Amino acid sequence: MFNINHSVVLWNVALFAAAIVWLGVSEPSYLTQLVVWSAINAVLAAGMRFVLLIGETNMASGAIYGFAAYVTAIAVTNGFDVVPLVVVTAAIAAGVLGLLFGWVTLRVKGPYFMLIGFAFTEVVRLAYTRIDYVGGNSGMVGIYAPMSLDRWMPALCVGICYLLVSGFFVAEKSSFGLLMRAIRNNDKVVETLGVSALRVKLVCFCMAALAVGAAGAIHAYSYHVISPGDFSFLIPVYALAYAKVGGERHIVGSVIGAIFLTVVAQVVQGAGALQYVLFGGVIILTMLGVRGGLLDMLGWVACRRRRAGAQRIGLPKDRTSGELG
Amino acid sequence: MVTAMALIVQLALNTLQAGSVYVLFALGLTLIFGVMGVVNFAHGQFFTLGALLTSVLVPALREAFGMGVALAFTFASAISIVAVLALAAVVYQFGFRHYLRDTVGSFILSVGLLLFLEGVFLWVFGGVPRVVPNIAPGELRVFGAAIELQRLVVFGIAVIITVLLYLMLAFTRFGRAIRATAEDAGAATLQGIRDKRTLLYGFMVGSFLSAASGCLTAPIAVITPAVGNDYLIKGFITIIIGGLGSVPGAIFGGLTIALIESVVGYYVDGTMATIGMFCVVALLLLIRPQGMLGHVQH
């Protein structure tokens, strides 16, 4: 059963429409690129969080993301310039890779699954360096959308990312989402009801792979150049950091975390070694200081402001109490 | 012309030498996971710190006190290990202590530490590759195969540390406390084992193994602030093959990946060797998901 909060939906649609209109009328610039990168990272974080709902950490998302980016690059450099078709093709290719990987590895769980995904991402990256057709170590260049779409690409990319994140939200709130949470709690209990936990996990993993694949295609279009070094184990690591730093409790946390850390990464970019120090420091501080992530911190600030406002107008204390869950 | 016998012996020697360092590194990872339930991505940074400090201190000690290379290496390794243990104590006390048995939380924290420490190492040591002078010049020839004497020394020390660790875990009171805590922390506490202290010591022993493998790698490899990442990947493949939390599994896994690296590296190249390791892991997962010597995870 859905509990639709109409004001949230309206705010969402209004913000989305405003962003699309702004991106549509603006000349492509650094700022519009920053919005696109944040949107891509939000999809990666939401995809990571989606698999976390079944209790698994998907470290293979780096390989899947990179695979889709390479499929896009191959398609574009061979003359296929229908952007939606290329994105869908790359997503399907990523989904198939996810299906194969998941079919082999989802028999294990917990740290085993996490580590095999980590190794898979690194090995796929190494494999690109050995394939001359995809440019080996140098990678591929010239991944451009048609000139006529140039102005609309940021809006199109953000639109696709918004739909993907919304798709995750809808899936999470559906009966399938309940099944995923039940599997995280105890997959043996779910199996006693005649549901194949492996099949549910596989479907969940493939859904995440499809979305991450679409994000990979957008990555290729937005950077125009890709190389094996872009798809190391840091991709899933950052995705996990976005989800955790933003707050794992709600999908909005993944989006907030992705925007926050993408901006931080841009601010510290060019600082050399300091870039790693600051980025790592932010993750450590968030993990040790605000366990519920930025989402809980924002909730705490809102709660304090509500309480302070209520005390000003003299409301009784019990009307204002709202401890964080 | 290399004879078949000489080639087999050469590959076996390479496997044993490289495998001994992988085993040490993976033993640390598997011990920390077994005791604390933490997948420690910062393990590679402890290794890097050990290797970097050794590579910096050996020339410095030689210049300051006129020591021989072997003696300077011994002192440099001791100082490096103490430095790594001090860092590990801080990391445990302020970080991992709050995320015991939380695989995802501790993993993110360790990733933050990985990035933070890699940045600090780049900042402090710079990105220039470093080399330690040969600690034992000369080579040994066995059935036509050759091995550098310093590699033999590294292999010998690694074997001694592994055997000592095995004996400690198997026969001492402290070893039994670690194994009991790894098996069931609650039951161990009921038996009077101080679990918090055991967890700290377990983490310190794991970090010591990482630092020791870093120090031993310094004379036989080119050391950069990113050297730990390669070992981390191989370390994880090792413990998947052997089984998480299994000491014999880490030994078996370390030797297996060293064998693949030696053979495929000889006939093809190092990159294909790493890809080959992954193929072995994928096959293994189909046949025996819990690793060769691990337990099924329920």
Side-chain angles (χ1 to χ4, degrees):
Chain A
M1 280 282 286
F2 279 112
N3 278 328
I4 298 173
N5 187 335
H6 294 286
S7 68
V8 171
V9 172
L10 277 175
W11 268 107
N12 235 321
V13 171
L15 277 173
F16 174 62
I20 293 295
V21 169
W22 174 71
L23 287 167
V25 298
S26 305
E27 283 291 325
S29 63
Y30 174 70
L31 196 61
T32 55
Q33 274 303 104
L34 195 60
V35 174
V36 173
W37 294 334
S38 300
I40 294 172
N41 290 339
V43 175
L44 277 171
M48 180 62 79
R49 185 179 168 277
F50 194 64
V51 180
L52 279 173
L53 290 176
I54 54 166
E56 302 297 350
T57 312
N58 177 16
M59 290 294 285
S61 63
I64 293 164
Y65 182 69
F67 183 67
Y70 269 98
V71 169
T72 306
I74 291 167
V76 173
T77 50
N78 282 291
F80 295 101
D81 59 357
V82 186
V83 175
L85 202 61
V86 172
V87 172
V88 168
T89 308
I92 290 172
V96 171
L97 182 69
L99 182 70
L100 289 173
F101 177 80
W103 181 72
V104 175
T105 58
L106 277 168
R107 293 151 206 272
V108 294
K109 54 186 178 181
Y112 279 97
F113 182 72
M114 185 166 87
L115 295 180
I116 190 71
F118 168 76
F120 183 60
T121 293
E122 280 304 292
V123 167
V124 169
R125 182 182 66 78
L126 284 174
Y128 296 138
T129 64
R130 297 300 308 268
I131 305 170
D132 290 335
Y133 183 68
V134 294
N137 269 316
S138 310
M140 300 182 78
V141 294
I143 312 155
Y144 287 97
M147 289 280 278
S148 55
L149 266 179
D150 217 23
R151 190 187 175 91
W152 290 98
M153 272 310 277
L156 185 65
C157 292
V158 172
I160 293 172
C161 291
Y162 178 84
L163 289 176
L164 292 171
V165 173
S166 304
F168 280 132
F169 180 72
V170 171
E172 184 187 337
K173 294 293 172 191
S174 69
S175 54
F176 182 72
L178 287 176
L179 211 50
M180 293 197 317
R181 284 176 193 275
I183 284 172
R184 178 166 70 176
N185 289 337
N186 193 332
D187 55 354
K188 294 281 179 273
V189 173
V190 173
E191 286 190 336
T192 60
L193 300 172
V195 178
S196 164
L198 181 64
R199 198 172 295 170
V200 174
K201 283 181 175 183
L202 204 53
V203 171
C204 164
F205 191 78
C206 286
M207 284 167 74
L210 282 168
V212 166
I218 295 169
H219 171 104
Y221 273 121
S222 88
Y223 285 87
H224 311 306
V225 178
I226 57 169
S227 66
D230 299 338
F231 307 110
S232 70
F233 73 91
L234 287 175
I235 294 284
V237 160
Y238 284 160
L240 202 50
Y242 302 144
K244 271 279 176 184
V245 168
E248 210 188 318
R249 205 157 43 88
H250 196 278
I251 197 164
V252 173
S254 301
V255 178
I256 292 174
I259 294 170
F260 174 68
L261 286 180
T262 306
V263 173
V264 168
Q266 291 302 309
V267 170
V268 300
Q269 199 178 38
L274 202 61
Q275 182 182 341
Y276 288 104
V277 176
L278 290 172
F279 205 76
V282 167
I283 295 172
I284 294 169
L285 284 177
T286 313
M287 291 306 292
L288 295 178
V290 201
R291 285 218 178 182
L294 294 172
L295 205 60
D296 268 14
M297 206 163 89
L298 291 173
W300 181 78
V301 171
C303 190
R304 294 274 299 191
R305 287 189 60 166
R306 251 201 324 271
R307 189 173 293 180
Q311 276 170 357
R312 265 203 309 277
I313 59 171
L315 274 180
K317 206 174 180 183
D318 60 339
R319 291 272 307 270
T320 62
S321 61
E323 289 301 318
L324 293 170
Chain B
M1 185 72 182
V2 182
T3 63
M5 182 64 177
L7 181 62
I8 291 169
V9 175
Q10 185 70 63
L11 291 176
L13 287 174
N14 291 351
T15 300
L16 287 174
Q17 188 276 313
S20 62
V21 178
Y22 293 153
V23 166
L24 268 192
F25 185 85
L27 275 174
L29 265 181
T30 208
L31 196 67
I32 290 172
F33 178 81
V35 177
M36 295 166 58
V38 166
V39 178
N40 183 18
F41 260 58
H43 199 68
Q45 301 308 319
F46 295 158
F47 172 93
T48 307
L49 182 62
L52 273 173
L53 276 178
T54 305
S55 64
V56 170
L57 286 173
V58 168
L61 287 173
R62 288 187 70 199
E63 204 175 295
F65 302 105
M67 290 178 181
V69 180
L71 193 61
F73 174 73
T74 310
F75 276 109
S77 299
I79 296 168
S80 308
I81 288 171
V82 170
V84 171
L85 289 181
L87 175 68
V90 172
V91 164
Y92 177 85
Q93 202 60 27
F94 294 101
F96 287 129
R97 193 164 61 92
H98 306 288
Y99 283 96
L100 296 171
R101 309 252 164 230
D102 175 359
T103 311
V104 176
S106 61
F107 168 70
I108 306 271
L109 183 65
S110 71
V111 163
L113 284 165
L114 180 147
L115 294 172
F116 182 81
L117 292 174
E118 190 167 331
V120 171
F121 297 158
L122 266 170
W123 201 9
V124 175
F125 297 101
V128 186
R130 292 167 193 277
V131 185
V132 170
N134 197 329
I135 57 168
E139 66 174 27
L140 193 75
R141 297 197 78 82
V142 187
F143 296 112
I147 183 166
E148 287 178 22
L149 215 53
Q150 66 166 352
R151 288 179 182 269
L152 211 60
V153 171
V154 165
F155 169 71
I157 297 171
V159 169
I160 289 168
I161 294 173
T162 306
V163 170
L164 285 177
L165 177 85
Y166 202 85
L167 293 175
M168 182 200 77
L169 287 175
F171 299 112
T172 66
R173 197 179 166 81
F174 173 59
R176 277 197 292 272
I178 285 188
R179 283 190 290 135
T181 309
E183 197 70 36
D184 189 331
T189 311
L190 287 174
Q191 292 298 315
I193 293 169
R194 294 180 179 178
D195 63 329
K196 282 182 182 162
R197 191 181 291 182
T198 309
L199 291 172
L200 170 64
Y201 291 164
F203 185 71
M204 297 300 273
V205 172
S207 304
F208 164 79
L209 292 170
S210 178
S213 53
C215 295
L216 291 175
T217 305
I220 55 172
V222 177
I223 305 301
T224 66
V227 69
N229 293 342
D230 288 342
Y231 279 81
L232 193 66
I233 295 163
K234 286 170 186 164
F236 282 141
I237 292 178
T238 299
I239 58 177
I240 295 170
I241 292 175
L244 275 175
S246 162
V247 171
I251 297 170
F252 174 80
L255 293 176
T256 305
I257 65 159
L259 179 67
I260 295 169
E261 192 175 64
S262 297
V263 175
V264 182
Y266 177 80
Y267 285 106
V268 194
D269 64 31
T271 308
M272 288 307 289
T274 309
I275 295 171
M277 286 172 207
F278 178 78
C279 295
V280 168
V281 167
L283 274 176
L284 185 71
L285 282 177
L286 278 172
I287 305 160
R288 201 177 154 79
Q290 71 274 27
M292 288 308 287
L293 301 170
H295 302 292
V296 181
Q297 207 187 17
H298 291 295

